[in-house]
Amino acid sequence: MTRRTRYALIGTGDRARAYVRALLHEHREPAELIALLDAVPVHLDRFEDYIRGLAADGRSPVRYGAGGLERMIDEQKIDRVILTTPDPTHADLTCRSLLAGADVIVEPPLTMDDAGARRIASAIEASGREVVVAFNQRHAPANTALRELLSAGGVGRITAVRAEWPSGRDPLLAQASHHFDLVNWWLDDVPARVSATAGDDLPLAVTVAYRGGATLHYTRRAEDEPLRLVVDGTEGTVELAREERLTLRRHGVAEAQEVPIAGPATDADADADTRLFHALFRPRETEPPVPRVPDVTAGLNAAAIGAAAVRSLAAGLPVDIAELDPAVP
């Protein structure tokens, strides 16, 4: 019988519950939740109650408090850590877990700044362990359909992406890491130069120049406003509206074409998590069109755009990512 992968969960907030449901139900054959870690004891108490309600045998994982990360990984022979803590803690806890001997699954953003990116790159090199970044939006049906269309040359050579994304108040662009990763993935390209502008009466705008020649024009919208995204190419344009409808317009063709989206449009987030967890916990069974989980490079590239945008806002000048963060290849 194949040994189950031993997991520890660090952070017991709302996002952690989705991982626990997946580990205790759909993916209990290949994966085993061994330990929990949280700095606040009452959080662990509540989470243990939640787990008892889900677990068939009523048992709870071993619990650890603040400062117990390295001891937990050693004592419980942990293979992989799942990190669902507040964003500013991700870089430090990722590095500590790697150096203690565990692979890491981390919720985006991977890191908040270029210093964290350098630390993570160094920890990976020193430990020989792996990091994957849980960009669940890659797995949403509409986003996967857009990737397939662009990869097949549906609009020719891509020249620009125009995105108006609902993001709410996020001064450090942490949650925009999901958006930047999607664009990097759709383009299959690496960001090179970033500039950002904002005013009292204007939304934050970020422009990203890519090595392959395309440009992203990114604007944040209020959380209750719908996504509008347009990809321009040498042979046409495709628009993604409300994360549920893809429309392709080819140059020289009068009639627009609706692009089919495989999967339910009514609960795209839940469907994205279902596909994400399958790719995380059953990687050998994951085949296209479900994308494989991205490695640390994707997390570094997405985080680098956010860090560069923050610096650009402060300085009033464009920022070259290669100069900002040499850890990004």
Side-chain angles (χ1 to χ4, degrees):
M1 182 175 178
T2 304
R3 173 183 174 274
R4 290 195 289 174
T5 302
R6 297 172 67 84
Y7 284 86
L9 181 65
I10 303 178
T12 57
D14 288 342
R15 184 57 180 155
R17 295 187 174 213
Y19 282 93
V20 167
R21 290 193 297 270
L23 286 168
L24 296 183
H25 289 166
E26 299 94 334
H27 304 291
R28 61 184 178 273
E29 291 92 357
E32 184 176 12
L33 180 59
I34 300 296
L36 304 173
L37 186 149
D38 198 291
V40 183
V42 70
H43 291 174
L44 286 169
D45 293 339
R46 293 170 181 166
F47 209 74
E48 281 187 314
D49 290 341
Y50 177 72
I51 289 175
R52 288 191 190 98
L54 293 176
D57 56 11
R59 291 188 301 172
S60 295
V62 183
R63 55 188 281 173
Y64 289 81
L69 188 153
E70 288 82 2
R71 183 164 58 88
M72 175 186 70
I73 291 173
D74 177 57
E75 290 179 351
Q76 304 303 326
K77 305 295 187 290
I78 299 300
D79 300 308
R80 300 178 93 186
V81 161
I82 301 169
L83 192 56
T84 61
T85 54
D87 297 341
T89 68
H90 287 184
D92 180 64
L93 293 175
T94 295
C95 292
R96 288 175 58 192
S97 299
L98 291 169
L99 296 173
D103 295 332
V104 179
I105 297 170
V106 58
E107 279 286 299
L110 174 62
T111 178
M112 303 289 286
D113 52 37
D114 50 308
R118 287 193 293 270
R119 287 184 60 202
I120 291 169
S122 296
I124 290 172
E125 183 176 2
S127 67
R129 309 300 300 192
E130 297 182 350
V131 175
V132 295
V133 187
F135 285 117
N136 68 334
Q137 287 306 302
R138 286 193 181 199
H139 300 263
N143 296 335
T144 300
L146 179 55
R147 160 77 175 194
E148 292 170 355
L149 174 70
L150 297 176
S151 297
V155 298
R157 179 176 58 82
I158 300 170
T159 57
V161 178
R162 295 172 280 148
E164 299 174 14
W165 231 302
S167 298
R169 297 183 179 274
D170 183 14
L172 295 179
L173 288 168
Q175 290 308 306
S177 184
H178 283 279
H179 309 156
F180 297 142
D181 174 70
L182 278 176
V183 177
N184 295 347
W185 180 57
W186 286 328
L187 296 176
D188 194 19
D189 205 350
V190 177
R193 188 175 177 86
V194 177
S195 60
T197 57
D200 294 336
D201 299 321
L202 297 173
L204 174 68
V206 178
T207 300
V208 183
Y210 284 82
R211 291 181 185 176
T215 302
L216 165 65
H217 302 285
Y218 174 89
T219 305
R220 292 205 308 207
R221 312 183 76 178
E223 284 186 296
D224 58 350
E225 295 185 38
L227 164 70
R228 182 174 184 270
L229 183 137
V230 177
V231 182
D232 298 316
T234 55
E235 297 177 15
T237 296
V238 61
E239 179 176 351
L240 174 60
R242 297 181 179 271
E243 302 181 77
E244 60 185 27
R245 184 181 181 190
L246 276 175
T247 306
L248 175 63
R249 295 177 174 84
R250 296 184 185 276
H251 297 331
V253 178
E255 189 171 339
Q257 174 186 347
E258 290 289 324
V259 179
I261 296 173
T266 54
D267 199 352
D269 286 339
D271 196 50
D273 271 350
T274 297
R275 297 180 182 200
L276 169 68
F277 294 144
H278 190 92
L280 285 172
F281 302 131
R282 299 176 184 268
R284 293 181 181 85
E285 301 174 22
T286 301
E287 299 294 339
V290 177
R292 298 186 185 278
V293 289
D295 64 16
V296 71
T297 302
L300 291 171
N301 284 334
I305 295 175
V310 170
R311 288 206 179 188
S312 177
L313 281 172
L317 296 169
V319 173
D320 288 328
I321 286 181
E323 296 177 4
L324 171 74
D325 180 18
V328 178

